[in-house]
């Protein structure tokens, strides 16, 4: 009896992972994620055993309901396979026993949530486990599993599908490139296309804008000022929203004669 009180009173049994209060991120919604359950026992036990009960509360619900339970030998690694169909909270309650004698209890709560999208910058930044890395980033992956770093390359390669006669534009965009400089690359591209295909019409010049889809599903076009840099308008992140508006060029004397 005294031994039991000593063990329990000295908190020799602690859940160490997932840490109490932690949020664990998953990338693959609709599948599952494996989370190892780890704990610390500071006393030698003859027939150590841990019994675990897990309760789950769906997002927005305060009510925990039974999810899983089991008893395991102390040397047995424990992995929780948790469904990722939706964010949820979990409560782990564990009992440590030696043979048939219960010695101590421990509990920990954690959340399971989708990984927030990785927001790249031009500086190396850690990618949270589970987060999707956008295509085109420079990535450093540590082979020891300690994590992944990613950044926007400077320059990055911008690729735009233009109206049929203008083909595909590919150009290097530096973080300090201005919208005006990028528009000038597009103007030069359009001019080259016109020289190759003189029957194409008159020369066009580009204005750049971002297409932002509103709640009602209608795309709103926001003009990009020519002095703004690619870094300032987060062009890498928004490149799929980049819209090119073609207009007649103002400097008429450089128009290619198509006759
Ligand atoms: C989780 O663990 C189970 C059992 O070991 C395994 O079959 C499954 O592939 C694992 N899932 C992931 C996402 O690692």
């Amino acid at each position: 009896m005294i031994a039991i009180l000593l063990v329990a009173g000295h908190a020799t049994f602690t859940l160490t992972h997932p840490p109490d209060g932690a949020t664990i991120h998953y990338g693959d919604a609709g599948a599952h994620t494996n989370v190892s359950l780890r704990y610390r026992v500071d006393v030698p036990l003859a027939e150590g055993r841990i019994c675990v009960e897990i309760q789950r509360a769906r997002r927005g619900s305060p009510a925990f309901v039974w999810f899983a339970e089991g008893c395991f030998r102390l040397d047995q690694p424990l992995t929780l396979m948790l469904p990722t169909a939706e964010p949820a909270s979990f409560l782990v309650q564990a009992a440590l026993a030696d043979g048939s004698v219960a010695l101590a209890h421990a509990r920990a709560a954690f959340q399971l949530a989708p990984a927030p999208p990785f927001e790249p910058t031009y500086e190396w930044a850690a990618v949270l486990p589970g987060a999707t890395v956008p295509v085109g980033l420079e990535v450093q992956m540590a082979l020891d599993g300690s994590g992944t770093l990613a950044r926007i390359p400077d320059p990055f390669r911008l690729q735009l599908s233009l109206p049929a006669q203008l083909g595909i534009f590919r150009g290097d965009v530096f973080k300090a490139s201005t919208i005006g400089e990028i528009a000038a690359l597009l103007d030069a591209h359009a001019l080259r296309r016109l020289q190759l295909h003189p029957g194409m019409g008159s020369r066009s010049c580009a204005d750049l804008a971002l297409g932002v889809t509103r709640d009602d599903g209608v795309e709103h076009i926001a003009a990009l000022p020519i002095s703004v840099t690619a870094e300032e308008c987060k062009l890498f992140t928004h490149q799929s929203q980049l819209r090119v508006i073609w207009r007649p060029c103002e400097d008429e004397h450089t128009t290619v004669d198509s006759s």
Side-chain angles (χ1 to χ4, degrees), residues 28 31-35 79-82:
D28 196 6
H32 67 270
T33 188
N34 287 341
V35 175
T79 300
L80 310 176
M81 264 177 82
L82 302 175

Side-chain angles (χ1 to χ4, degrees), residues 145-235:
S146 66
T148 300
L149 299 175
R151 71 173 177 192
I152 303 170
D154 186 20
F156 74 89
R157 195 84 168 141
L158 177 67
Q159 180 167 316
L160 295 172
S161 279
L162 302 176
Q165 74 276 14
L166 291 173
I168 291 174
F169 167 82
R170 291 184 189 87
D172 282 342
V173 173
F174 292 85
K175 80 177 188 185
S177 298
T178 62
I179 291 299
E181 287 162 355
I182 300 165
L185 293 177
L186 279 150
D187 294 351
H189 170 88
L191 180 59
R192 269 197 311 276
R193 295 286 302 179
L194 187 58
Q195 287 164 342
L196 280 169
H197 307 279
M200 217 168 70
S202 57
R203 194 181 147 217
S204 299
C205 284
D207 285 327
L208 296 179
L210 283 184
V212 182
T213 305
R214 293 208 196 110
D215 290 344
D216 58 7
V218 178
E219 189 177 83
H220 173 74
I221 303 287
L224 286 168
I226 56 168
S227 59
V228 164
T229 66
E231 183 178 28
E232 286 163 349
C233 69
K234 298 192 176 167
L235 192 61

Side-chain angles (χ1 to χ4, degrees), residues 30 55 86 94 164:
Q55 296 178 37
E86 58 185 349

